[in-house]
Amino acid sequence: MKHAEKVKLGISIGDLNGIGSEIVLKTFDDSRMLDFCTPIIFASTKVLTFLKKQFNLSLNYQGIDDASKAIDGKINVVNVWKEGVNINFGEEDPKIGEYAFKSLQAATTALKADEIDVLVTAPINKHSIQSADFNFPGHTDYLAKQLEGESLMFMITDTLKIGLLTDHVALKDIANTITPELIEKKLKIIQETLKQDFRIQKPKIAVLGINPHSGDNGVIGKEDEEILKPTLQKLRDKGDLVFGPFSADSFFGSKNYVNFDAVVASYHDQGLIPFKTLSFGNGVNFTAGLSKVRTSPDHGTAFEIAGTNSANINSFKEAVFRAIEIYKCREEYKELTKNPLKKQGKKL
């Protein structure tokens, strides 16, 4: 990417019955956003015109047939469908789920084809989007398959970054899911993303225990003693700066997290409850480990307030800025690490 070029920022519209369309349109109703990127929304101009009136917005956009036709300085809308859509805010509707998938599928295709540089996803309803073509717990797993990578849910702010060993896994299955191989794989992804996407050359990572009090030396479950501790020791022996396991209940209250570049939680709620408590509305979900950059806001469809014109855009706007920043960091890292200087022969 030439430095003068703006990042081509693709946006999947999410569930139209939720707040996704509101936060997308309100974010780009501020024309200053066009100074940072070229937005390309995958939806339809017909639907967005209805939504623009619904939320009393003044932004202008242009319809295009595909992302490669996007014009810098404009809000571009790829017309993924032409027909009208029956929107009922706050309702779970499989038909709306179909449109959410159409948007995501088109945006992902454009991402793979380098027609967009990054992808920011508005929230989907994980139930209504399910179909023969989308049989995944969420965006992360779908994108991991499409982009053929090892994905990791990485929740980020300036001061707190939390990765998950397991994300959308039922609580009863967590202990059997966490293996030495999984731990090593996820920690490697986090180390690599901290280096290439956040400019942290020697990352210091804290790992939370699987059981309460990290198992209390085997009194409360054996997994920490038999799986987690030996694996972390093995990584430390190799020179990795990984520490723990830490007791999760006191780790955040004591503000121990400020001493580390990233924190690894064993399961979804262990990591996301403290993350959202400390940063809700300003955090970003970044899918680490993939060949492309994808971010999203740290909240869901919020059906309970959909259509009321009251959604907070901060997290979505932050997801936009983070995607741009991570993309530029990654491009810089690629430039710095390619074509290393060849060893020169001694001159006489």
Side-chain angles (χ1 to χ4, degrees):
M1 183 187 76
K2 295 176 182 177
H3 293 297
E5 293 179 353
K6 291 178 188 170
V7 173
K8 293 175 287 186
L9 187 128
I11 301 165
S12 59
I13 201 64
D15 192 295
L16 291 165
N17 283 351
I19 65 169
S21 56
E22 179 183 346
I23 59 177
V24 170
L25 293 178
K26 282 184 175 178
T27 294
F28 291 100
D29 195 43
D30 183 346
S31 61
R32 293 174 299 178
M33 294 298 292
L34 298 178
D35 294 336
F36 302 100
C37 63
T38 300
I40 305 167
I41 304 171
F42 292 81
S44 86
T45 51
K46 184 179 290 187
V47 165
L48 294 190
T49 298
F50 164 77
L51 293 166
K52 172 183 168 180
K53 293 177 182 176
Q54 173 76 22
F55 300 122
N56 300 312
L57 301 175
S58 59
L59 76 167
N60 295 312
Y61 40 80
Q62 63 170 20
I64 54 178
D65 293 327
D66 62 75
S68 65
K69 305 289 199 305
I71 297 176
D72 184 28
K74 303 281 188 182
I75 299 170
N76 302 271
V77 180
V78 175
N79 281 299
V80 181
W81 62 85
K82 301 291 177 67
E83 70 273 14
V85 178
N86 187 25
I87 296 174
N88 294 294
F89 292 112
E91 293 186 12
E92 188 176 301
D93 183 351
K95 189 65 179 175
I96 293 295
E98 290 179 19
Y99 288 108
F101 177 63
K102 286 180 180 180
S103 173
L104 176 61
Q105 186 178 42
T108 305
T109 299
L111 187 65
K112 291 164 70 174
D114 293 324
E115 293 176 351
I116 58 176
D117 296 317
V118 300
L119 173 61
V120 182
T121 59
I124 58 173
N125 179 280
K126 293 181 176 64
H127 184 250
S128 63
I129 198 174
Q130 296 298 318
S131 68
D133 294 318
F134 189 94
N135 185 23
F136 302 91
H139 282 114
T140 302
D141 302 272
Y142 172 76
L143 290 168
K145 182 174 181 181
Q146 290 296 315
L147 299 172
E148 298 178 340
E150 292 286 356
S151 66
L152 177 131
M153 185 184 290
F154 205 32
M155 308 299 294
I156 59 174
T157 67
D158 285 335
T159 57
L160 177 61
K161 295 174 178 62
I162 299 183
L164 304 178
L165 291 181
T166 64
D167 41 49
H168 296 124
V169 175
L171 198 58
K172 66 181 177 62
D173 298 326
I174 287 168
N176 290 330
T177 302
I178 297 176
T179 62
E181 292 76 22
L182 178 72
I183 297 165
E184 289 190 49
K185 180 174 72 175
K186 296 292 186 180
L187 282 167
K188 182 179 179 182
I189 293 172
I190 290 180
Q191 288 168 329
E192 289 179 350
T193 196
L194 289 171
K195 290 176 184 177
Q196 73 169 2
D197 300 327
F198 298 95
R199 299 190 180 103
I200 301 171
Q201 290 309 306
K202 193 66 175 175
K204 186 179 177 184
I205 301 170
V207 181
L208 303 182
I210 300 169
N211 294 297
H213 307 295
S214 298
D216 262 346
N217 296 314
V219 176
I220 312 173
K222 305 288 187 184
E223 291 82 6
D224 292 277
E225 290 296 317
E226 296 178 357
I227 298 172
L228 194 50
K229 288 182 181 180
T231 306
L232 295 183
Q233 186 59 54
K234 175 183 174 183
L235 293 172
R236 282 193 290 270
D237 291 342
K238 288 166 52 180
D240 293 344
L241 299 180
V242 293
F243 302 87
F246 294 95
S247 182
D249 60 349
S250 60
F251 185 81
F252 295 96
S254 65
K255 295 190 177 178
N256 198 7
Y257 65 89
V258 302
N259 298 312
F260 299 91
D261 297 307
V263 180
V264 179
S266 291
Y267 55 94
H268 186 279
D269 285 9
Q270 187 190 58
L272 267 65
I273 288 174
F275 180 84
K276 292 188 177 184
T277 300
L278 292 166
S279 65
F280 195 69
N282 295 298
V284 171
N285 179 4
F286 166 50
T287 305
L290 300 182
S291 59
K292 303 288 186 178
V293 176
R294 174 260 175 168
T295 63
S296 72
D298 67 355
H299 57 74
T301 54
F303 278 164
E304 65 277 8
I305 63 167
T308 64
N309 207 10
S310 61
N312 187 321
I313 69 170
N314 287 351
S315 183
F316 184 83
K317 183 180 282 189
E318 188 66 20
V320 168
F321 286 131
R322 285 289 183 172
I324 296 168
E325 182 182 323
I326 291 168
Y327 177 78
K328 289 181 176 179
C329 281
R330 190 174 290 190
E331 290 298 297
E332 179 184 278
Y333 182 83
K334 288 177 184 175
E335 191 68 28
L336 290 171
T337 54
K338 77 175 184 180
N339 298 326
L341 291 173
K342 294 180 180 179
K343 291 183 178 179
Q344 300 293 322
K346 288 183 179 180
K347 293 182 180 180
L348 297 175

